Amino acid sequence: MSTLNNAFADHPISLTAPSGIDRAAHHRLDEAWLAAAWSHPKTRVFVVSGGQVLIDDTPDGRTELVMTPAFEAPVTETHRYFLGTDADGVSYFALQKDSLPGRMDQSARPAGLREAGLLLSPRDAGLMVHAVALENWQRLHRFCSRCGERTVIAAAGHVRRCQACGAEHYPRTDPAVIMLVTDEEDRALLGRQVHWPEGRFSTLAGFVEPGESIEQAVAREVFEEAGVTVGEVEYVASQPWPFPSSLMLGFFARATSAEITVDGEEIHEARWFSREDLAAAFESGEVLPPYGISIASRLIELWYGKPLPKPGDTA
């Protein structure tokens, strides 16, 4: 499905632009091919640790992942993840380490996805998303959920196998819904979570529960968090969200009631905004837009009709 309509085709959702990387999953079990790819001089490698990588600013104003040839990469016995190849035949690997390596020139800096995802090229952002998601899953699933024995890495980082009972375990992705709710006056429902700074508003969101459709999840989450009932639900776009292991499914939803009753646990405050209300609130500083990396900002933009202001801008 398309991630955005034509009005924002040149401003795609963060972490969703085509990366140009073929994940080449058919090579993950081919140890001879992987060994040859690792030793090839064109192969590029980067380290991931605790959800962070090293990034560096180039003289021409770009920001890049710090990558090295395989022969310059830090040594690791098992935590080497094959991420794919590009059209030029370059293979990419990530190494999971306990800490990021130092840099002799001191110009590189560590960064997580919330910062780097807005700065990196689609290729580098796509590689980082893949690596961060694998690293988190690997760190949290070292033991077999069936028998409790330690598991080992297989399939170039994409499987963990239990040598005791033979079970295979795969990376999990938790589906979550995120929705911009509008009422019959075409006002948007935005809320502020209890741990957010004063004035930070965004769309409502929540996880899909077992045995529940995504449409049911949208309706349940909106009612639980804001006390508003919804009817029609329309899918818009998705976004990988490895914080730590989610896939955000974005929707528009039409409210069938308008009275707001926040739950007080997840949502501290929720309000209906017209476009004029929101523009005035941005300009006065009363409302801060959601973080730019999130699909929430794109959902709001589609309704708002133009990009949301950035820090220092006005609506």
Side-chain angles (χ1 to χ4, degrees), residues 1-5 12-18 173-178 214 234-242 246-252 293-296 298-299 302:
M1 295 184 180
S2 174
T3 56
L4 282 177
N5 67 11
I13 298 169
S14 297
L15 312 181
T16 65
T173 298
D174 301 316
V177 292
I178 184 166
I214 52 178
E234 178 185 1
Y235 173 78
V236 179
S238 65
Q239 180 187 37
W241 195 250
S246 298
L247 175 67
M248 301 298 289
L249 305 168
F251 296 88
F252 289 141
I293 193 174
S294 171
I295 188 177
R298 301 298 179 264
L299 292 173
L302 284 171

Side-chain angles (χ1 to χ4, degrees), residues 223-278:
F223 185 75
E224 288 179 356
E225 294 184 349
V228 172
T229 58
V230 300
E232 181 182 357
V233 174
E234 178 185 1
Y235 173 78
V236 179
S238 65
Q239 180 187 37
W241 195 250
F243 300 107
S245 57
S246 298
L247 175 67
M248 301 298 289
L249 305 168
F251 296 88
F252 289 141
R254 179 65 72 173
T256 56
S257 69
E259 184 177 350
I260 295 173
T261 305
V262 297
D263 63 2
E265 296 182 3
E266 291 186 60
I267 302 298
H268 177 73
E269 180 183 5
R271 294 163 53 185
W272 292 105
F273 291 89
S274 69
R275 292 172 181 81
E276 295 75 18
D277 292 339
L278 192 57

Side-chain angles (χ1 to χ4, degrees), residues 70-140:
F71 64 84
E72 294 181 3
V75 176
T76 181
E77 293 182 359
T78 57
H79 292 80
R80 185 170 77 190
Y81 310 142
F82 172 60
L83 304 179
T85 61
D86 65 18
D88 295 323
V90 177
S91 297
Y92 296 90
F93 288 82
L95 300 181
Q96 177 181 320
K97 302 290 287 183
D98 290 335
S99 61
L100 295 174
R103 290 272 287 181
M104 295 295 291
D105 58 14
Q106 300 297 311
S107 66
R109 65 184 186 277
L113 265 175
R114 292 184 190 275
E115 175 191 357
L118 293 171
L119 302 174
L120 296 174
S121 68
R123 184 202 68 176
D124 286 4
L127 290 169
M128 184 178 177
V129 168
H130 192 174
V132 167
L134 283 178
E135 184 215 16
N136 177 75
W137 173 70
Q138 292 282 357
R139 289 187 184 277
L140 296 180

